[in-house]
Amino acid sequence: MKRSKSEKRFIKVLLLPALLALAAAGLCSCAQRNTDYSEDLFAMDTVMSIRAIGPDAEEAVKAAVSEIRRLDSLLSTGNDSSDISAINRNKTAQTDQDTALLAFRAKEIYRLTGGAFDPTVYPVMRLWGFTDRNYQVPEEEALQAAAATVNGESLQIDGNTVSVAADQEMDLGGIAKGFTSARVIEILKQHGITSALVNLGGNVQTLGSRPDGKPWTIGIRDPKGDSAEDLIGAVTAVDLAVITSGGYERFFEEDGKTYIHIVDPKTGYPAENDLASVTVVSPDGTLADGLSTALYVMGREKAAAFWKDHSDLFDCVLIDTGGRLYVSEGIAEDFTSFTEEPVLLTK
């Protein structure tokens, strides 16, 4: 049917608002395109980096950085105004709810690992100089006195009140970065981020996949390498924490003997066994952080047995002092060795 000029003008008037709306939607879509934003910072005594991809990436990362600094101020043993310093000074303190929550998780992991992870080992760590890098081999009498105070069962949490025994001091640094990385992931999600990589001094946590849809690839350092760039393998991860503990991270030598910073809470001495490195892979960053230390303290055989009993919670890569790799079956297909074929840990 042929339309008159007046009818055509009427139709154009009707269509104009719709066309303008479509154009506006197109402009909005362009403005909401994903951006790839990264930021580095120094906190919790380590270099950290956060990378997020999304339309609100910069604001999300800046919010995460603010949260890291807030948690650092609460949990630092070197900050006299922190919650931890208040607990150690007064033996009890009303704390921020996050401090109380982390103390609760610390006691959970203490019990889960049979004391291989213990948040009350701080006096022993201080004697060795691992807290301030003034390294020394302590006098035996002083070390035994400090070791006698170590008992995670004495840590008490009542609401937001956290207490230790009269002769105790605590430090939540063994799980603080894992807890913080998990919190960062929460903040990024709240800002609509679906792809991110959080690296808090080697404590890595991933959100979703990479921008190209592939899993993130996390390298595992060779314990015998000269630098962090020397890798022995890698694991792919989506929505997982990948956290490694090794004796190479902090140590000192005296009279030809090497003393590492991972201390056995039951002896007061740096752990000495057949493990050189432990990597824990889990959706729970706090748990992964604590277990990476605890499994190292246990040694290879006990660590492997612990995984078999708790394989629903985590997977692991163990590297012994001879360079041999052991990989739990849950991540066997996600792990690539750059050396020899790893030994498969099965239930």
Side-chain angles (χ1 to χ4, degrees):
M1 181 179 67
K2 190 175 181 179
R3 299 185 185 274
S4 67
K5 290 183 179 181
S6 59
E7 286 177 319
K8 288 178 181 179
R9 281 196 300 270
F10 183 68
I11 291 172
K12 286 180 180 180
V13 170
L14 287 176
L15 286 176
L16 184 57
L19 291 171
L20 289 173
L22 287 171
L27 290 172
C28 180
S29 176
C30 291
Q32 292 299 310
R33 283 176 183 161
N34 286 346
T35 57
D36 192 332
Y37 183 80
S38 300
E39 193 164 321
D40 298 330
L41 69 151
F42 186 85
M44 298 183 176
D45 201 30
T46 192
V47 177
M48 303 180 171
S49 66
I50 305 172
R51 178 189 176 194
I53 299 93
D56 198 19
E58 183 173 355
E59 184 177 342
V61 170
K62 290 189 179 301
V65 169
S66 294
E67 179 66 357
I68 289 172
R69 297 205 183 282
R70 187 187 74 86
L71 290 173
D72 193 14
S73 70
L74 292 174
L75 304 173
S76 172
T77 57
N79 178 358
D80 289 340
S81 62
S82 73
D83 281 352
I84 301 302
S85 291
I87 295 165
N88 289 340
R89 185 169 53 247
N90 304 317
K91 308 309 173 186
T92 186
Q94 183 76 14
T95 70
D96 184 272
Q97 61 181 359
D98 283 322
T99 306
L101 174 59
L102 192 55
F104 179 82
R105 292 299 310 275
K107 189 163 184 176
E108 275 188 333
I109 298 171
Y110 162 80
R111 288 174 168 171
L112 180 69
T113 62
F117 173 86
D118 194 315
T120 65
V121 77
Y122 181 65
V124 173
M125 298 291 288
R126 190 173 60 242
L127 276 181
W128 285 98
F130 290 123
T131 58
D132 58 8
R133 290 181 169 83
N134 291 318
Y135 304 125
Q136 62 175 351
V137 177
E139 296 291 335
E140 181 67 20
E141 185 176 349
L143 181 60
Q144 292 308 315
T149 71
V150 178
N151 180 5
E153 200 60 44
S154 298
L155 174 63
Q156 300 296 320
I157 305 96
D158 181 8
N160 291 340
T161 301
V162 181
S163 309
V164 293
D167 58 352
Q168 287 185 319
E169 290 181 301
M170 66 177 292
D171 181 9
L172 298 177
I175 56 173
K177 288 194 286 293
F179 178 85
T180 302
S181 65
R183 176 61 56 78
V184 167
I185 294 295
E186 290 177 10
I187 291 172
L188 297 180
K189 285 181 178 179
Q190 290 168 7
H191 283 77
I193 303 299
T194 56
S195 177
L197 183 68
V198 178
N199 187 341
L200 307 188
N203 286 40
V204 179
Q205 191 148 356
T206 65
L207 172 58
S209 304
R210 296 185 336 187
D212 61 6
K214 296 179 180 179
W216 297 97
T217 300
I218 314 301
I220 296 176
R221 181 173 172 176
D222 184 348
K224 295 182 178 180
D226 296 326
S227 71
E229 284 70 43
D230 295 322
L231 304 179
I232 199 168
V235 62
T236 55
V238 175
D239 293 323
L240 291 169
V242 181
I243 298 178
T244 300
S245 289
Y248 55 81
E249 294 172 324
R250 189 178 301 178
F251 64 90
F252 71 97
E253 295 181 3
E254 187 170 309
D255 297 328
K257 183 174 176 60
T258 299
Y259 299 92
I260 66 171
H261 78 291
I262 302 176
V263 171
D264 185 340
K266 295 178 180 177
T267 67
Y269 282 90
E272 287 188 278
N273 54 48
D274 54 357
L275 281 178
S277 170
V278 171
T279 298
V280 175
V281 181
S282 172
D284 185 340
T286 308
L287 179 67
D289 204 0
L291 289 185
S292 68
T293 300
L295 267 60
Y296 192 104
V297 168
M298 292 179 191
R300 182 182 61 80
E301 190 172 327
K302 289 183 178 179
F306 184 89
W307 168 77
K308 290 181 181 180
D309 290 338
H310 303 90
S311 59
D312 58 322
L313 299 178
F314 73 100
D315 278 287
C316 61
V317 178
L318 311 177
I319 305 174
D320 69 19
T321 50
R324 188 77 165 143
L325 290 94
Y326 302 79
V327 180
S328 61
E329 61 183 351
I331 56 169
E333 294 184 0
D334 303 315
F335 178 77
T336 300
S337 172
F338 299 156
T339 56
E340 60 187 37
E341 188 72 18
V343 176
L344 183 65
L345 299 177
T346 59
K347 291 180 279 186

